[in-house]
Amino acid sequence: MELAYRYFGGEGKPPLIILHGLLGSSRNWTAVGKDLSERFEVFGLDLRNHGSSPHDDEMSFEAMAADLSEFLERQGLDGVHLLGHSLGGKVAMHFAANNFDRVDSLIVVDIAPKDYGLHFSEDFEAMAAINLEELSSRKAADEALADTIPDWAHRQFLLTNLIRGKEGAYQWAANIPVLHRELEEIRKTPLGLEDRYAGPTLFLTGELSDFVQREDHAVIREYFPRTVIKQIYGVGHNLHAENREAFIEAIDDFMLVDWGCQI
């Protein structure tokens, strides 16, 4: 599968791949990607069934990791820094644990290697309930989601998936039916019992988020023994958007750690 991507600049610098979360896209990472291009050559990918990437019936971590592998081969990249948020963090964990020699460092944002509940299920149901053929405006879509999703900022995030098709009608960029159906699969841990990544690893968490708990730290360190775990205060699950300055600073600090190897 040929994934769509955004290039954020930094030609000639060490390559960094950004993988977004569920129902996100590389578009959500434009500001962060441009900031990080001061240190890296930055590529933001759209995962399968998201953004401008192709749709497919499969959403296994093996398939998504294979998509990433194909992208790296297509770009001639070997030895990359890998950053993933939420679902993208799970894909990044899976890829790093199975491709140690291709990942120079790993940054995982507000997700842990464990099973989760069915987050986003109500969101998918609300999005699927909108009659796109009769939809007249984005405002009407926002109003249709409001009863189920009272948080305005979260609705705007979901509505980044609402686009105009070639004939002018509204459609979802993300593959809503498949993603909804595959929630049971993608809520699970991306790692097997024997999976390990021993390279330099940073786990970034949000103080106000419940996605990574203190008791998760032990299992994180089991799978990723060379790990720094850092919490960013006053932010939730989308910490890269809520406090971009602290997010970039945490990555800069991580890159200055003496790991005994070049990263």
Side-chain angles (χ1 to χ4, degrees):
M1 177 174 291
E2 186 168 354
L3 297 180
Y5 71 96
R6 282 179 167 81
Y7 181 71
F8 296 125
E11 184 177 1
K13 299 173 183 175
L16 170 71
I17 310 298
I18 298 177
L19 305 176
H20 61 81
L22 183 63
L23 288 175
S25 72
S26 58
R27 170 185 171 184
N28 307 132
W29 286 81
T30 300
V32 170
K34 289 180 178 177
D35 285 348
L36 288 173
S37 68
E38 295 183 8
R39 177 185 284 275
F40 304 99
E41 182 174 27
V42 186
F43 302 82
L45 275 57
D46 288 348
L47 298 175
R48 59 169 55 204
N49 293 316
H50 289 81
S52 298
S53 283
H55 290 185
D56 192 83
D57 283 339
E58 186 175 1
M59 277 298 292
S60 68
F61 293 113
E62 290 79 9
M64 289 185 280
D67 294 342
L68 172 57
S69 180
E70 289 181 23
F71 174 81
L72 298 183
E73 292 169 3
R74 194 173 293 113
Q75 295 294 325
L77 300 174
D78 191 24
V80 300
H81 302 277
L82 195 53
L83 185 161
H85 171 241
S86 200
L87 173 60
K90 286 188 170 187
V91 177
M93 284 189 269
H94 181 92
F95 185 87
N98 290 278
N99 298 272
F100 175 79
D101 58 337
R102 302 176 71 184
V103 180
D104 291 340
S105 73
L106 174 66
I107 302 170
V108 179
V109 184
D110 211 52
I111 201 74
K114 66 177 185 179
D115 293 348
Y116 282 85
L118 291 177
H119 292 283
F120 280 89
S121 185
E122 289 187 349
D123 296 345
F124 279 111
E125 292 171 3
M127 295 168 77
I130 295 176
N131 187 335
L132 296 177
E133 293 181 358
E134 298 180 359
L135 188 65
S136 59
S137 66
R138 298 183 67 85
K139 181 180 179 181
D142 182 58
E143 292 172 349
L145 295 175
D147 286 343
T148 304
I149 307 166
D151 186 299
W152 180 86
H154 187 56
R155 292 200 308 274
Q156 304 320 299
F157 164 72
L158 296 177
L159 288 171
T160 61
N161 288 282
L162 188 64
I163 61 173
R164 293 276 193 179
K166 292 181 178 179
E167 298 181 0
Y170 283 105
Q171 63 185 50
W172 295 115
N175 190 343
I176 301 303
V178 167
L179 293 175
H180 191 189
R181 186 193 71 207
E182 294 300 306
L183 277 181
E184 178 61 35
E185 177 70 20
I186 61 181
R187 75 174 184 86
K188 297 177 182 177
T189 178
L191 301 178
L193 292 176
E194 303 302 320
D195 286 343
R196 296 290 185 276
Y197 173 71
T201 305
L202 172 65
F203 273 75
L204 287 174
T205 69
E207 179 195 16
L208 306 180
S209 171
D210 61 359
F211 274 75
V212 181
Q213 303 292 329
R214 175 67 63 176
E215 54 265 31
D216 297 327
H217 290 194
V219 71
I220 288 172
R221 296 187 188 282
E222 180 179 347
Y223 285 112
F224 305 96
R226 301 174 74 192
T227 293
V228 173
I229 302 175
K230 180 178 178 58
Q231 185 178 81
I232 295 181
Y233 296 102
V235 299
H237 185 54
N238 296 311
L239 48 162
H240 58 289
E242 296 175 46
N243 192 337
R244 192 170 86 237
E245 182 177 344
F247 183 81
I248 298 297
E249 182 179 354
I251 293 175
D252 283 341
D253 290 345
F254 168 66
M255 289 296 163
L256 294 176
V257 174
D258 183 5
W259 295 99
C261 62
Q262 184 175 359
I263 68 170

